[in-house]
Amino acid sequence: MYSMLQLFRQILWNGTSISWKCAFMSNVVFWPLSVLCLWADRLAATGGSSLLIMCKLQPDQHLCWREKIDLMLLAAFNMLFVAPFLCSPVFEYIWNHTQGSNRLSETDEWIWTNELLIKIPLHALITEVAFYSVHFLLHHSTFLYRHIHKVHHRFVAPTAMAYVYAHPLEFAVGNIFPIYLGCMLTNAHPISCHWIWFPLAMAGTCKGHCGYRIMGSIDPHDVHHLYFRHNYGGMSLLDRVFGTLISDQAASFPKRS
């Protein structure tokens, strides 16, 4: 058993690129959270949890089995094939050419003050700008919406797994690349990328599509799936700047009793 674990470690981790490790850790975080959300949806749909029913933003909207199968198939294709085997090599190439010989490696010292207090916040800001820009374009180009982004908006009431239910081109350019971009531009340490930033980003995007009030609050991006022309960003920062924000108070979700 130990030798098998060592073999899997050698194949999946040792000697692989940083971009691959980021994709791997994204899957480690994404699948448990998204499956947990589907299970919560099942409980809410069958009346198995009154708390989940109260917290669900659109309690009368549930995915049928056919929709769930379609959701899981496209999510698996994007996360298990597109991200590690198509995106990772391309993004690794861009990353290398962005930083050149100055790029930090896993053997370099990890300076936590630089990484956690400066670079991680910059990653969040850069991701927000890139995601908002691409997302806004996808909505305001009739061609791009009809042929690419419409796939993602199949579900008016989203679930966490629906984050990656997208046209593969949108998934690569609009969803995954913005998360990598901050790491590339700030020359982030690999530890910060695959152990901290990517798990945080995946957890945040799952929350943004979960379809539930969490501790009484509604994620701004959850509102977007009900009001297509608002809340294009992930953190609502640029939505506030450009006047495209609609607050959860203004959104006509059913209120908790």
Side-chain angles (χ1 to χ4, degrees), residues 12-23:
L12 297 176
W13 197 261
N14 294 341
T16 59
S17 70
I18 303 305
S19 295
W20 167 274
K21 292 176 181 177
C22 290

Side-chain angles (χ1 to χ4, degrees), residues 18 21-23 25-26 29 95 110 115-116 118-131 163 175-186 188-205 235:
I18 303 305
K21 292 176 181 177
C22 290
M25 291 306 299
S26 296
V29 173
W95 202 339
W110 185 71
E115 299 295 326
L116 298 183
I118 299 175
K119 292 183 181 180
I120 293 294
L122 282 175
H123 295 174
L125 179 60
I126 292 168
T127 299
E128 173 74 355
V129 172
F131 178 74
Y163 160 62
N175 293 358
I176 297 298
F177 183 65
I179 303 175
Y180 277 92
L181 187 59
C183 301
M184 296 175 184
L185 296 180
T186 64
H189 195 284
I191 290 176
S192 302
C193 300
H194 54 69
W195 286 117
I196 301 174
W197 171 239
F198 271 77
L200 283 175
M202 278 295 137
T205 52
M235 301 189 303

Side-chain angles (χ1 to χ4, degrees), residues 38 47 66 99-100 110-111 118 124 155 157 159 193 205 220 222 224 242 246 249 257:
L38 282 179
R66 179 60 192 174
Q99 294 297 335
W110 185 71
I111 304 174
I118 299 175
F155 309 118
T159 185
C193 300
T205 52
D222 251 327
H224 170 74
F242 293 109
I246 182 171
Q249 290 83 10
S257 58

